[in-house]
Every structure is written in structure tokens, then in C-alpha cells.
């Protein structure tokens, strides 16, 4: 009986590792006959585990969804990975899951072998509590959006633009995409008849949802690639070319390839081609670079640098006045 129970657990573990198994593959992995595999599958079904099966050439077995969660059989490294994820709590980009994370971690520790508890305890860290980032979203909103994507239901929502305006949008939602700490919804905008991506922290879903729709083919490269291209375009809307009056070697490590390409001109100068979201932000970066430079173009960058120069002059003037006011006076 003990051997049979161990074999059933091993079979259940295999069924959880991938979607489909042939009877021959299961028999080979468990070192039993295909007939024994069939009997063990029947035993799992009698215990309430929904194991779907197909007959004929290419037939096999698949663990279906049941009314209850089956026991998860994890490797030691998988257990530690799950525990560390729960111990970290909700990420800074998602709120509303901390209490559930604590509850799940407590249950996991209760059944964790002592050798794994020791490994987890060795990784205990102190965390400096901080507020969620401005772009954080509630877990319930993510769940609601994932549901309409799965059910292919139209979605209406109020959307706050970068400028602060609010407008009503209606889309065919397809995918949720995370980039860094931000979440995006990719969908087909019905009014604009084109693909769009929306920051989830800026939208307010409306209920009830709309009618079901027939899915379209996603943009080339898929949803993640579509969002990535949109982010690249947003952060490269401004382009400029600047000559830095310093040797190439002095600034080579300070120019990130994601927003600037550096080229050597001669022993004393180098040229950087910069991309940014706006020209004022590009001008502020150049000012903080703390080297002499000449702007080659465009005119928008030249104008932004002049504005930044006047701002720095005002700051310097205020500093000079404050310094003079606090300077000790000498008696004549």
C-alpha cells in the first residue's frame, strides 16, 4: 500500500509538470507498465482528481481543473522560490495581496521540511517599508482586466491621460503586460480602429462589461513587443546631437546605450546622439553632465538649453544673495 501511495504521488507530480502526457511516457518515467498507469489514473480519479484521458494514436492524460486544489509536489528549490516570493509580499507595482501572501506563507511553513525551513530562515531580511509607487495597481483591478481578456468581452473605462484629462474609452481587451513597475492593457480601440496600450494605473473599469467579441490577431511580435515599441517611441520622441568638449575616455562609462550613442571626434572631443521623452529633460541631463558642450541641433534642444541656462543663473543668483546675507560683517 505504501508503494502504491508513493507511486500515486509521483504520478500526480508528473501530471503537474506539463500539460499532456502519453501513457507510454508516464510508464517509462515511473518504471511501470502502461496497464499500471491506467489503474493508477483510475485511483486518482476516485480520490477526486480530474485526470482527462484520450484514446487512440497520440492519446494520453492531462490533469484538469477540479473543485479543490490538488497537493502541489515541489522540488526543494521550487519551495524556496515560492516562499521567498510570498515573504516579499506584494510587489511595489501591485497592492492588496499582502494579507493573502502572509496567510499562504504561514501554511507553507507548517508543512515545510526542517531542512527547507533552515534555508528560508537563513534568508530572512529586514525590509524598509515604503509607500507603493505612483503607478501601483490594485490586485482586484488586475483580476478584473485579466477576466475580460480571457472571456473576450468589450471593456469600457475612464482613462486619465498624461496631461491629466479624463476620457471614456471602449476597447476589445487582449493582454496584460508588465514593464518594470508599470502594468499595461493592450487592446483594440473601437473608436480609433487601431491597437493601443493603456497604463492600468490610469484607467477606471466600468461595469457591466460589453458584449463578447471575436479575437483579432495580435500586432506583430505579440502584446509585450507592442508595449515595448510604444515605450521606446515615448522615450525617444526628442532627439539631439551634442559635441562634448572632453576626451572620449572621460565620459564613455557615463553614457547609457539606451539613451545615448557616443562617438570619438578627436583626442579632446566626442559627440553624443541623445534620445529622450522631451527636450527640456534632455537639457537638464546635459546640465547635470557637468562638462562643456556645443549643441549641434535641433533648434528645440538649443532653445531648451537656453531656458535651462537661465534657470541655473537664477538659482546661482539666489544662492549668492543668501550667502551674502549670512556672511559675517566686519566692523570698519
Amino acid at each position: 500500500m505504501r508503494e502504491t501511495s508513493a507511486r500515486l504521488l509521483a504520478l500526480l507530480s508528473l501530471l503537474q509538470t506539463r500539460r499532456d502526457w502519453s501513457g507510454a511516457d508516464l510508464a517509462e518515467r515511473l518504471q511501470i507498465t502502461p496497464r499500471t498507469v491506467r489503474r493508477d489514473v483510475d485511483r486518482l480519479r476516485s480520490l477526486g482528481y480530474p485526470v482527462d484521458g484520450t484514446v487512440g494514436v497520440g492519446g494520453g492524460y492531462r490533469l484538469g481543473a477540479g473543485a479543490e486544489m490538488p497537493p502541489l509536489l515541489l522540488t526543494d528549490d521550487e519551495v524556496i522560490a515560492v516562499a521567498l516570493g510570498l515573504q516579499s509580499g506584494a510587489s511595489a507595482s501591485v497592492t492588496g495581496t499582502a494579507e493573502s501572501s502572509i496567510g499562504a506563507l504561514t501554511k507553507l511553513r507548517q508543512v515545510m521540511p526542517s531542512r527547507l525551513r533552515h534555508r528560508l530562515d537563513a534568508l530572512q531580511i529586514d525590509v524598509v517599508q515604503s509607500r507603493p509607487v505612483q503607478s501601483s495597481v490594485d490586485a482586484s483591478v488586475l483580476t478584473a482586466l485579466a477576466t475580460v481578456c480571457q472571456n473576450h468581452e468589450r471593456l469600457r473605462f475612464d482613462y486619465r491621460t498624461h496631461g491629466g484629462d479624463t476620457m471614456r474609452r471602449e476597447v476589445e481587451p487582449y493582454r496584460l503586460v508588465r514593464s518594470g513597475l508599470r502594468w499595461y492593457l493592450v487592446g483594440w480601440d473601437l473608436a480609433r480602429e487601431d491597437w493601443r496600450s493603456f497604463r492600468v494605473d490610469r484607467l477606471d473599469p466600468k461595469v457591466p462589461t460589453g458584449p463578447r467579441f471575436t479575437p483579432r490577431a495580435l500586432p506583430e511580435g505579440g502584446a509585450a513587443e507592442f508595449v515595448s515599441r510604444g515605450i521606446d517611441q515615448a522615450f525617444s520622441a526628442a532627439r539631439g546631437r551634442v559635441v562634448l568638449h572632453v576626451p572620449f575616455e572621460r565620459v564613455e562609462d557615463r553614457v547609457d546605450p539606451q539613451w545615448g550613442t557616443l562617438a570619438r571626434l578627436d583626442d579632446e572631443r566626442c559627440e553624443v546622439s541623445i534620445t529622450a521623452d522631451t527636450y527640456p529633460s534632455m537639457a537638464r541631463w546635459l546640465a547635470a553632465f557637468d562638462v562643456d558642450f556645443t549643441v549641434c541641433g535641433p533648434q528645440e534642444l538649443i532653445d531648451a538649453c537656453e531656458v535651462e541656462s537661465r534657470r541655473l543663473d537664477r538659482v546661482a543668483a539666489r544662492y549668492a544673495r543668501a550667502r551674502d546675507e549670512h556672511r559675517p560683517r566686519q566692523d570698519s
Side-chain angles (χ1 to χ4, degrees):
M1 179 62 69
R2 182 176 304 173
E3 180 182 351
T4 302
S5 299
R7 196 173 64 241
L8 289 178
L9 287 174
L11 174 58
L12 184 59
S13 178
L14 287 175
L15 290 172
Q16 291 173 348
T17 58
R18 72 187 195 201
R19 184 171 177 81
D20 295 290
W21 284 90
S22 70
D25 286 343
L26 289 173
E28 181 180 356
R29 293 290 294 271
L30 296 171
Q31 297 183 346
I32 56 178
T33 65
R35 182 179 180 182
T36 304
V37 169
R38 290 193 294 271
R39 288 202 303 264
D40 287 348
V41 166
D42 289 337
R43 291 190 180 97
L44 288 178
R45 288 169 176 164
S46 67
L47 294 172
Y49 300 113
V51 182
D52 302 326
T54 57
V55 297
V57 178
Y61 301 98
R62 173 188 302 175
L63 186 62
E68 302 292 340
M69 279 286 293
L72 295 177
L73 305 176
L74 305 175
T75 66
D76 286 4
D77 289 340
E78 289 171 341
V79 171
I80 293 297
V82 172
L84 284 176
L86 294 171
Q87 185 170 282
S88 299
S91 72
S93 64
V94 181
T95 60
T97 61
E99 185 175 346
S100 298
S101 298
I102 294 173
L105 179 60
T106 300
K107 295 177 182 178
L108 183 61
R109 287 182 64 89
Q110 287 177 349
V111 297
M112 189 181 292
S114 59
R115 67 179 186 279
L116 297 185
R117 280 200 300 272
H118 294 325
R119 287 180 58 183
L120 183 62
D121 291 341
L123 292 170
Q124 291 286 346
I125 56 176
D126 291 332
V127 178
V128 176
Q129 296 297 326
S130 60
R131 296 180 180 179
V133 295
Q134 286 187 325
S135 59
S136 63
V137 298
D138 192 273
S140 61
V141 174
L142 287 179
T143 301
L145 296 180
T147 300
V148 293
C149 290
Q150 177 70 25
N151 295 339
H152 305 306
E153 296 173 348
R154 287 185 181 180
L155 177 68
R156 294 175 300 112
F157 54 87
D158 288 337
Y159 191 70
R160 188 179 71 259
T161 66
H162 179 71
D165 299 326
T166 300
M167 59 182 65
R168 179 63 57 89
R169 309 294 283 267
E170 185 173 6
V171 303
E172 295 176 354
Y174 280 79
R175 293 287 191 278
L176 283 170
V177 176
R178 194 184 77 177
S179 176
L181 295 179
R182 287 179 176 169
W183 290 85
Y184 296 85
L185 174 68
V186 174
W188 177 266
D189 192 305
L190 295 170
R192 292 158 178 78
E193 296 185 344
D194 199 2
W195 291 100
R196 291 288 191 273
S197 63
F198 304 92
R199 278 179 50 175
V200 175
D201 60 298
R202 292 180 178 172
L203 63 82
D204 180 19
K206 301 301 178 183
V207 292
T209 55
R212 294 175 64 90
F213 61 87
T214 301
R216 308 168 190 264
L218 283 167
E220 182 179 357
E225 179 64 25
F226 178 76
V227 169
S228 179
R229 288 197 299 267
I231 295 174
D232 290 342
Q233 290 174 2
F235 282 92
S236 61
R239 297 176 179 271
R241 191 164 59 88
V242 178
V243 173
L244 305 177
H245 297 276
V246 291
F248 178 91
E249 290 76 15
R250 279 188 53 187
V251 293
E252 180 181 6
D253 295 336
R254 298 171 59 187
V255 178
D256 192 307
Q258 290 188 339
W259 43 260
T261 302
L262 195 65
R264 187 193 307 271
L265 293 179
D266 52 42
D267 291 343
E268 299 298 328
R269 300 179 307 154
C270 54
E271 181 181 277
V272 60
S273 298
I274 322 169
T275 59
D277 53 347
T278 64
Y279 287 107
S281 65
M282 191 181 297
R284 288 191 295 271
W285 175 81
L286 286 169
F289 212 62
D290 195 26
V291 299
D292 292 338
F293 62 87
T294 300
V295 178
C296 302
Q299 185 62 43
E300 292 88 346
L301 179 56
I302 296 175
D303 295 341
C305 286
E306 290 177 349
V307 172
E308 179 67 11
S309 177
R310 290 194 292 269
R311 186 187 71 83
L312 293 176
D313 286 343
R314 291 193 298 271
V315 172
R318 286 196 297 269
Y319 173 77
R321 287 196 299 269
R323 180 193 57 194
D324 292 340
E325 290 174 357
H326 291 84
R327 178 178 296 170
R329 295 183 179 181
Q330 297 181 351
D331 294 335
S332 56

